[in-house]
Amino acid sequence: VGVMAPHAGYTFSGRTAATAYKQLLGSEYNSVVVLAPSHTTFINGASVYSGDAYQTPLGEISVDTTTAQALESVAPNIHLGEAGHELDGDRAEHSLEVQLPFLQHVLGEFQLVPIVFHDYSWSNCRQLGKALAQTLDADSTLLVASSDLYHGQSYEECQRQDEATLHSIENDTPETFCYGANSGEFMACGAGPIAVLKIVADEWNAQQPRVVTHTTSADVTGSRGGYVVGYAAALVVH
C-alpha cells in the first residue's frame, strides 16, 4: 500500500531507500502517489503537478491527470499547479524527484500523482489524506512518503531522536504523530507526507508503517563527528 523512503543524495541514503523499494519487485500499480516536502517554495495547502509528465534519466513518467483533477475537486486545500515542481531560483525540489528512478526500476510502467507541500498542520494533512483515500483505488495505488529524519550535530542524539520518531510512526495515531512532529518531539522533514500516509493506511484498513531499516549519513561517511542525518525505510501493507 505504501512506502516511506529517504530523499538525501543517493550516496548517503540510496541504499536505505532501495531496501524498501526492493519489496515492490513484481508488483503492479496503476497510479503511484509521491508525497514530498517542499524545501524552498511556499505552497498554500498541497500542490499537485498540473503538467503531463515528470522526466528522469530513465525516461518520462506520465502524470495521472484524471486523478490530479479529481483531487482538486474534492478538497479545498489541494491545488493543481507548478508550485514546488518547477525550478525555484537555481534549484528544483529534490525530495520528490529522487524517488522516481527507484519506482521506474522496480515497477516499470505506472502513472504518477506528484504532490508537494510544507503545511504539516493536522488540518492540512487530514484533508489531504481523506481526499486521497476517497479518490484513489486502494487495490491499484501505491503511496510514497518522502522523508529524512534527524538533522543535527550529534550522532548519539540522532539515534535517540530517530528511535522516538520511528516508534511514533509505527505505533501512534496519525494525529498524535502529526502533533508530535509539529511540536518538535519527533523530527522528520517529511513529517506531513508520513502523517498523510498513516491517515490513508487507516482509511484503507491497512497496517501502520513498519520500519524495515534505519541508517544515518555517519554510517556511510564512517565519521560520527559533525553533521549527521537519519534515514529510514518503512512499508505499509494490508
Side-chain angles (χ1 to χ4, degrees):
V1 175
V3 167
M4 183 186 86
H7 57 238
Y10 293 135
T11 301
F12 297 100
S13 70
R15 187 183 185 96
T16 306
T19 302
Y21 284 114
K22 185 177 181 181
Q23 311 306 313
L24 302 177
L25 284 168
S27 301
E28 294 183 3
Y29 300 93
N30 293 334
S31 295
V32 177
V33 180
V34 181
L35 300 152
S38 175
H39 289 91
T40 60
T41 303
F42 173 80
I43 293 171
N44 179 26
S47 173
V48 184
Y49 186 46
S50 59
D52 294 327
Y54 255 72
Q55 185 171 17
T56 82
L58 300 183
E60 285 194 349
I61 309 172
S62 297
V63 169
D64 185 346
T65 54
T66 300
T67 296
Q69 292 165 4
L71 287 169
E72 186 181 43
S73 70
V74 299
N77 66 321
I78 299 176
H79 309 285
L80 283 177
E82 296 182 352
H85 300 275
E86 299 290 349
L87 283 173
D88 183 8
D90 62 349
R91 63 174 294 183
E93 181 55 63
H94 67 282
S95 62
L96 195 152
E97 290 185 342
V98 298
Q99 309 296 343
L100 303 182
F102 289 110
L103 290 163
Q104 289 172 295
H105 181 70
V106 297
L107 299 181
E109 294 294 322
F110 62 91
Q111 286 194 306
L112 176 67
V113 184
I115 304 176
V116 293
F117 63 111
H118 65 81
D119 176 359
Y120 295 168
S121 66
W122 174 240
S123 174
N124 194 52
C125 291
R126 181 178 56 189
Q127 285 187 72
L128 179 55
K130 295 276 189 179
L132 288 167
Q134 173 186 335
T135 305
L136 293 156
D137 178 11
D139 294 325
S140 62
T141 302
L142 174 74
L143 287 96
V144 175
S146 178
S147 183
D148 296 336
L149 301 175
Y150 172 88
H151 294 61
Q153 298 291 331
S154 169
Y155 179 81
E156 291 73 21
E157 179 63 14
C158 178
Q159 295 292 336
R160 187 200 69 77
Q161 182 78 70
D162 284 357
E163 181 179 359
T165 300
L166 295 174
H167 183 272
S168 179
I169 290 171
E170 288 190 322
N171 297 286
D172 287 342
T173 66
E175 186 174 7
T176 297
F177 170 76
C178 190
Y179 278 108
N182 283 317
S183 72
E185 182 180 358
F186 313 126
M187 187 181 293
C189 57
I194 296 169
V196 171
L197 177 62
K198 286 170 66 64
I199 292 166
V200 177
D202 271 355
E203 291 291 313
W204 286 351
N205 296 315
Q207 298 177 23
Q208 284 296 301
R210 286 292 171 260
V211 176
V212 293
T213 189
H214 169 248
T215 60
T216 72
S217 58
D219 298 325
V220 175
T221 64
S223 173
R224 296 191 176 183
Y227 193 70
V228 60
V229 180
Y231 314 119
L235 301 175
V236 175
V237 300
H238 279 299

